[in-house]
Amino acid sequence: MYYDLKSHVLRFIEYAREHPDKKFLLTKIGCGTAGYDVTQIAPFFRDAVDLPNVLLPLDFWKILI
């Protein structure tokens, strides 16, 4: 499941990169009932930091910067 999530995140980032006209407000995916910690999930979104149309949760930013 963990690596499936990573591959889906990478596909999302590519989609967001290809569609700069759309805005994406992300939640802390995987950090609730899925049982993962923010420190495990946030690094998957490192390539989204530079995308102006992707708004990451504050808890992800605390780990990514």
Side-chain angles (χ1 to χ4, degrees), residues 5-43:
L5 182 58
K6 183 176 181 176
S7 67
H8 291 298
V9 169
L10 293 175
R11 282 182 51 202
F12 160 73
I13 291 170
E14 187 62 30
Y15 181 86
R17 188 174 283 121
E18 292 171 356
H19 295 86
D21 56 312
K22 298 180 189 259
K23 295 255 185 227
F24 302 92
L25 176 61
L26 297 183
T27 62
K28 294 188 295 185
I29 184 170
C31 300
T33 57
Y36 297 107
D37 189 74
V38 173
T39 59
Q40 294 173 291
I41 302 299

Side-chain angles (χ1 to χ4, degrees), residues 2 37-47 60 63-64:
Y2 184 71
D37 189 74
V38 173
T39 59
Q40 294 173 291
I41 302 299
F44 293 165
F45 289 90
R46 188 166 309 281
D47 290 340
F60 282 18
I63 292 168
L64 296 172

